[in-house]
Amino acid sequence: MQVQFNSDSSVMGTENVAERIEAMLHTKLARFEERLTRIEVHVRDENGAKGGGDDKACVIEARPRGGRPIGVTEHAGKVDDAARKAANTLAQRLERHFGKGSRHGHDPRPDKMM
């Protein structure tokens, strides 16, 4: 599973933040790694230097093999907190997504061809 990290210029210490978030994602999503091709992470400070509560946003998009992307967005006062909330939400959505196919014992519906 490849992790791609993107941030805006107002998120300071980007390299260290990227390493922490990537490590946290590998831990939280380890059980789905073989079913995902890529994870894209986007972090930003929505109001820049103005400050304020819950102004850090984290968008995480997971790309399941042969399926449509699943994305989540969370906000918090700190980038790490927003990423942790987004990773938890994504893990829940992936559990539902992958769990449905295994519970029903059939292949996922192929995309319609026109």
Side-chain angles (χ1 to χ4, degrees):
M1 173 179 74
Q2 175 189 2
V3 177
Q4 181 179 347
F5 186 85
N6 302 293
S7 68
D8 66 7
S9 61
S10 64
V11 178
M12 300 306 289
T14 302
E15 186 175 315
N16 192 14
V17 170
E19 290 173 6
R20 287 193 316 263
I21 291 175
E22 185 173 343
M24 184 261 310
L25 283 171
H26 280 289
T27 301
K28 295 248 185 221
L29 305 177
R31 65 184 183 265
F32 305 112
E33 281 192 28
E34 293 196 14
R35 298 188 223 176
L36 301 174
T37 58
R38 185 174 71 211
I39 299 285
E40 290 186 30
V41 180
H42 302 269
V43 295
R44 65 182 180 275
D45 186 340
E46 294 193 327
N47 58 3
K50 293 180 186 175
D54 292 351
D55 65 334
K56 306 297 188 284
C58 180
V59 178
I60 303 177
E61 185 176 275
R63 308 255 177 171
R65 291 187 194 280
R68 293 185 177 154
I70 299 170
V72 297
T73 303
E74 292 290 349
H75 295 83
K78 296 180 180 179
V79 173
D80 288 329
D81 294 339
R84 191 173 303 107
K85 288 169 62 175
N88 288 333
T89 303
L90 181 61
Q92 291 172 351
R93 289 196 183 165
L94 289 171
E95 186 67 44
R96 282 193 304 256
H97 174 78
F98 291 127
K100 285 182 180 180
S102 63
R103 281 196 306 265
H104 297 294
H106 57 78
D107 293 331
R109 186 180 117 195
D111 290 339
K112 293 182 179 179
M113 303 291 277
M114 294 197 153

Short mmCIF file of all heavy atoms in Angstrom, two decimals, residues 42-46 54-60 71-93:
data_model
loop_
_atom_site.label_atom_id
_atom_site.label_comp_id
_atom_site.label_asym_id
_atom_site.label_seq_id
_atom_site.Cartn_x
_atom_site.Cartn_y
_atom_site.Cartn_z
N HIS A 42 -4.35 14.51 2.53
CA HIS A 42 -4.25 15.95 2.29
C HIS A 42 -4.51 16.66 3.61
O HIS A 42 -5.58 16.46 4.20
CB HIS A 42 -5.28 16.42 1.25
CG HIS A 42 -5.17 15.72 -0.06
ND1 HIS A 42 -4.39 16.20 -1.09
CD2 HIS A 42 -5.71 14.57 -0.51
CE1 HIS A 42 -4.48 15.37 -2.12
NE2 HIS A 42 -5.28 14.38 -1.80
N VAL A 43 -3.55 17.45 4.08
CA VAL A 43 -3.76 18.24 5.29
C VAL A 43 -3.62 19.71 4.94
O VAL A 43 -2.83 20.09 4.08
CB VAL A 43 -2.78 17.84 6.43
CG1 VAL A 43 -3.04 16.44 6.91
CG2 VAL A 43 -1.35 18.01 6.02
N ARG A 44 -4.43 20.51 5.62
CA ARG A 44 -4.38 21.95 5.36
C ARG A 44 -4.87 22.71 6.58
O ARG A 44 -5.60 22.19 7.41
CB ARG A 44 -5.21 22.30 4.14
CG ARG A 44 -6.69 22.06 4.31
CD ARG A 44 -7.48 22.38 3.03
NE ARG A 44 -8.89 22.15 3.21
CZ ARG A 44 -9.51 20.99 3.07
NH1 ARG A 44 -8.82 19.92 2.74
NH2 ARG A 44 -10.81 20.87 3.26
N ASP A 45 -4.45 23.95 6.65
CA ASP A 45 -4.93 24.89 7.66
C ASP A 45 -5.93 25.77 6.93
O ASP A 45 -5.56 26.55 6.06
CB ASP A 45 -3.76 25.70 8.20
CG ASP A 45 -4.17 26.59 9.36
OD1 ASP A 45 -5.38 26.88 9.49
OD2 ASP A 45 -3.28 27.01 10.11
N GLU A 46 -7.20 25.64 7.26
CA GLU A 46 -8.25 26.27 6.48
C GLU A 46 -8.30 27.79 6.58
O GLU A 46 -8.81 28.44 5.70
CB GLU A 46 -9.60 25.66 6.82
CG GLU A 46 -9.66 24.21 6.37
CD GLU A 46 -11.04 23.64 6.40
OE1 GLU A 46 -11.85 24.02 7.26
OE2 GLU A 46 -11.31 22.80 5.52
N ASP A 54 -10.50 24.06 15.54
CA ASP A 54 -10.87 23.11 14.48
C ASP A 54 -10.63 23.65 13.08
O ASP A 54 -11.44 23.44 12.17
CB ASP A 54 -12.34 22.68 14.64
CG ASP A 54 -12.56 21.84 15.88
OD1 ASP A 54 -11.56 21.45 16.51
OD2 ASP A 54 -13.72 21.56 16.20
N ASP A 55 -9.52 24.36 12.89
CA ASP A 55 -9.21 24.91 11.57
C ASP A 55 -8.26 24.05 10.76
O ASP A 55 -7.96 24.35 9.61
CB ASP A 55 -8.65 26.33 11.70
CG ASP A 55 -7.31 26.38 12.40
OD1 ASP A 55 -7.03 25.47 13.20
OD2 ASP A 55 -6.56 27.34 12.17
N LYS A 56 -7.78 22.94 11.34
CA LYS A 56 -6.92 22.01 10.60
C LYS A 56 -7.81 20.91 10.02
O LYS A 56 -8.64 20.33 10.71
CB LYS A 56 -5.88 21.36 11.51
CG LYS A 56 -5.03 22.35 12.32
CD LYS A 56 -4.20 23.25 11.47
CE LYS A 56 -3.23 24.08 12.28
NZ LYS A 56 -3.83 25.19 12.99
N ALA A 57 -7.64 20.65 8.73
CA ALA A 57 -8.45 19.63 8.06
C ALA A 57 -7.54 18.53 7.53
O ALA A 57 -6.43 18.78 7.08
CB ALA A 57 -9.23 20.25 6.92
N CYS A 58 -8.05 17.31 7.58
CA CYS A 58 -7.35 16.16 7.02
C CYS A 58 -8.34 15.39 6.16
O CYS A 58 -9.40 14.99 6.63
CB CYS A 58 -6.80 15.26 8.12
SG CYS A 58 -5.91 13.83 7.47
N VAL A 59 -7.97 15.21 4.90
CA VAL A 59 -8.77 14.42 3.96
C VAL A 59 -7.94 13.18 3.64
O VAL A 59 -6.79 13.29 3.25
CB VAL A 59 -9.07 15.20 2.66
CG1 VAL A 59 -9.84 14.34 1.69
CG2 VAL A 59 -9.79 16.50 2.97
N ILE A 60 -8.54 12.01 3.83
CA ILE A 60 -7.86 10.76 3.49
C ILE A 60 -8.73 10.02 2.49
O ILE A 60 -9.92 9.84 2.71
CB ILE A 60 -7.62 9.87 4.73
CG1 ILE A 60 -6.82 10.63 5.79
CG2 ILE A 60 -6.88 8.59 4.32
CD1 ILE A 60 -6.61 9.84 7.07
N GLY A 71 -13.42 8.21 0.59
CA GLY A 71 -12.78 9.36 1.21
C GLY A 71 -13.49 9.83 2.47
O GLY A 71 -14.70 9.65 2.62
N VAL A 72 -12.71 10.42 3.37
CA VAL A 72 -13.24 11.01 4.59
C VAL A 72 -12.54 12.34 4.84
O VAL A 72 -11.40 12.55 4.42
CB VAL A 72 -13.06 10.09 5.82
CG1 VAL A 72 -13.82 8.78 5.65
CG2 VAL A 72 -11.60 9.81 6.10
N THR A 73 -13.24 13.24 5.53
CA THR A 73 -12.68 14.53 5.92
C THR A 73 -12.98 14.77 7.38
O THR A 73 -14.11 14.56 7.82
CB THR A 73 -13.30 15.68 5.10
OG1 THR A 73 -13.09 15.43 3.71
CG2 THR A 73 -12.68 17.02 5.47
N GLU A 74 -11.99 15.18 8.15
CA GLU A 74 -12.18 15.50 9.57
C GLU A 74 -11.44 16.79 9.90
O GLU A 74 -10.46 17.14 9.24
CB GLU A 74 -11.65 14.37 10.46
CG GLU A 74 -12.44 13.08 10.38
CD GLU A 74 -13.82 13.15 11.01
OE1 GLU A 74 -14.13 14.14 11.71
OE2 GLU A 74 -14.60 12.22 10.79
N HIS A 75 -11.93 17.49 10.91
CA HIS A 75 -11.35 18.75 11.36
C HIS A 75 -10.98 18.66 12.84
O HIS A 75 -11.65 17.96 13.60
CB HIS A 75 -12.34 19.90 11.17
CG HIS A 75 -12.66 20.17 9.75
ND1 HIS A 75 -13.61 19.47 9.05
CD2 HIS A 75 -12.13 21.06 8.88
CE1 HIS A 75 -13.68 19.93 7.82
NE2 HIS A 75 -12.78 20.89 7.68
N ALA A 76 -9.94 19.38 13.23
CA ALA A 76 -9.52 19.45 14.63
C ALA A 76 -8.63 20.67 14.81
O ALA A 76 -8.27 21.35 13.83
CB ALA A 76 -8.79 18.17 15.05
N GLY A 77 -8.24 20.92 16.03
CA GLY A 77 -7.36 22.04 16.34
C GLY A 77 -5.91 21.78 15.96
O GLY A 77 -5.13 22.71 15.78
N LYS A 78 -5.52 20.50 15.85
CA LYS A 78 -4.16 20.11 15.48
C LYS A 78 -4.22 19.15 14.31
O LYS A 78 -5.14 18.35 14.19
CB LYS A 78 -3.45 19.44 16.66
CG LYS A 78 -3.25 20.35 17.85
CD LYS A 78 -2.54 19.62 18.96
CE LYS A 78 -2.36 20.53 20.16
NZ LYS A 78 -1.69 19.84 21.27
N VAL A 79 -3.20 19.19 13.46
CA VAL A 79 -3.14 18.33 12.28
C VAL A 79 -3.16 16.86 12.68
O VAL A 79 -3.88 16.05 12.09
CB VAL A 79 -1.88 18.64 11.44
CG1 VAL A 79 -1.72 17.64 10.31
CG2 VAL A 79 -1.95 20.04 10.88
N ASP A 80 -2.38 16.48 13.69
CA ASP A 80 -2.33 15.08 14.12
C ASP A 80 -3.70 14.60 14.61
O ASP A 80 -4.09 13.46 14.35
CB ASP A 80 -1.28 14.88 15.21
CG ASP A 80 0.13 14.96 14.67
OD1 ASP A 80 0.35 14.59 13.51
OD2 ASP A 80 1.02 15.41 15.43
N ASP A 81 -4.42 15.46 15.32
CA ASP A 81 -5.75 15.08 15.81
C ASP A 81 -6.73 14.89 14.65
O ASP A 81 -7.52 13.96 14.64
CB ASP A 81 -6.28 16.11 16.80
CG ASP A 81 -5.48 16.16 18.09
OD1 ASP A 81 -4.78 15.17 18.40
OD2 ASP A 81 -5.55 17.20 18.78
N ALA A 82 -6.67 15.79 13.68
CA ALA A 82 -7.55 15.67 12.50
C ALA A 82 -7.23 14.39 11.74
O ALA A 82 -8.13 13.67 11.29
CB ALA A 82 -7.39 16.89 11.60
N ALA A 83 -5.94 14.06 11.60
CA ALA A 83 -5.54 12.84 10.89
C ALA A 83 -5.99 11.60 11.65
O ALA A 83 -6.45 10.63 11.04
CB ALA A 83 -4.02 12.83 10.70
N ARG A 84 -5.87 11.62 12.97
CA ARG A 84 -6.29 10.47 13.78
C ARG A 84 -7.80 10.24 13.64
O ARG A 84 -8.26 9.11 13.46
CB ARG A 84 -5.92 10.69 15.24
CG ARG A 84 -6.07 9.47 16.12
CD ARG A 84 -5.53 9.69 17.53
NE ARG A 84 -4.13 10.10 17.52
CZ ARG A 84 -3.69 11.34 17.80
NH1 ARG A 84 -4.53 12.29 18.10
NH2 ARG A 84 -2.41 11.62 17.76
N LYS A 85 -8.58 11.33 13.71
CA LYS A 85 -10.03 11.21 13.55
C LYS A 85 -10.38 10.69 12.16
O LYS A 85 -11.25 9.82 12.02
CB LYS A 85 -10.69 12.57 13.79
CG LYS A 85 -10.69 13.00 15.25
CD LYS A 85 -11.10 14.45 15.45
CE LYS A 85 -12.48 14.78 14.99
NZ LYS A 85 -12.87 16.17 15.32
N ALA A 86 -9.71 11.20 11.14
CA ALA A 86 -9.98 10.76 9.77
C ALA A 86 -9.61 9.29 9.58
O ALA A 86 -10.33 8.54 8.92
CB ALA A 86 -9.23 11.64 8.77
N ALA A 87 -8.49 8.86 10.16
CA ALA A 87 -8.07 7.46 10.05
C ALA A 87 -9.07 6.54 10.73
O ALA A 87 -9.39 5.46 10.21
CB ALA A 87 -6.68 7.27 10.64
N ASN A 88 -9.59 6.93 11.88
CA ASN A 88 -10.59 6.12 12.57
C ASN A 88 -11.87 6.01 11.74
O ASN A 88 -12.44 4.92 11.61
CB ASN A 88 -10.91 6.71 13.95
CG ASN A 88 -9.79 6.51 14.94
OD1 ASN A 88 -9.00 5.58 14.83
ND2 ASN A 88 -9.70 7.39 15.92
N THR A 89 -12.32 7.13 11.18
CA THR A 89 -13.52 7.12 10.35
C THR A 89 -13.30 6.26 9.10
O THR A 89 -14.17 5.48 8.72
CB THR A 89 -13.91 8.56 9.95
OG1 THR A 89 -14.10 9.33 11.13
CG2 THR A 89 -15.19 8.57 9.13
N LEU A 90 -12.13 6.39 8.49
CA LEU A 90 -11.83 5.60 7.30
C LEU A 90 -11.79 4.10 7.62
O LEU A 90 -12.30 3.28 6.86
CB LEU A 90 -10.50 6.04 6.68
CG LEU A 90 -10.09 5.30 5.41
CD1 LEU A 90 -11.12 5.51 4.30
CD2 LEU A 90 -8.72 5.77 4.95
N ALA A 91 -11.21 3.74 8.75
CA ALA A 91 -11.16 2.33 9.15
C ALA A 91 -12.58 1.78 9.29
O ALA A 91 -12.85 0.65 8.86
CB ALA A 91 -10.38 2.17 10.45
N GLN A 92 -13.49 2.56 9.86
CA GLN A 92 -14.88 2.11 10.00
C GLN A 92 -15.54 1.93 8.63
O GLN A 92 -16.23 0.94 8.40
CB GLN A 92 -15.69 3.12 10.82
CG GLN A 92 -15.30 3.17 12.27
CD GLN A 92 -15.97 4.31 13.01
OE1 GLN A 92 -16.61 5.19 12.41
NE2 GLN A 92 -15.84 4.33 14.33
N ARG A 93 -15.30 2.88 7.74
CA ARG A 93 -15.90 2.77 6.40
C ARG A 93 -15.32 1.61 5.61
O ARG A 93 -16.04 0.91 4.89
CB ARG A 93 -15.71 4.07 5.63
CG ARG A 93 -16.58 5.17 6.19
CD ARG A 93 -16.70 6.31 5.27
NE ARG A 93 -17.48 7.36 5.91
CZ ARG A 93 -17.54 8.59 5.49
NH1 ARG A 93 -16.89 8.95 4.40
NH2 ARG A 93 -18.27 9.49 6.14
#
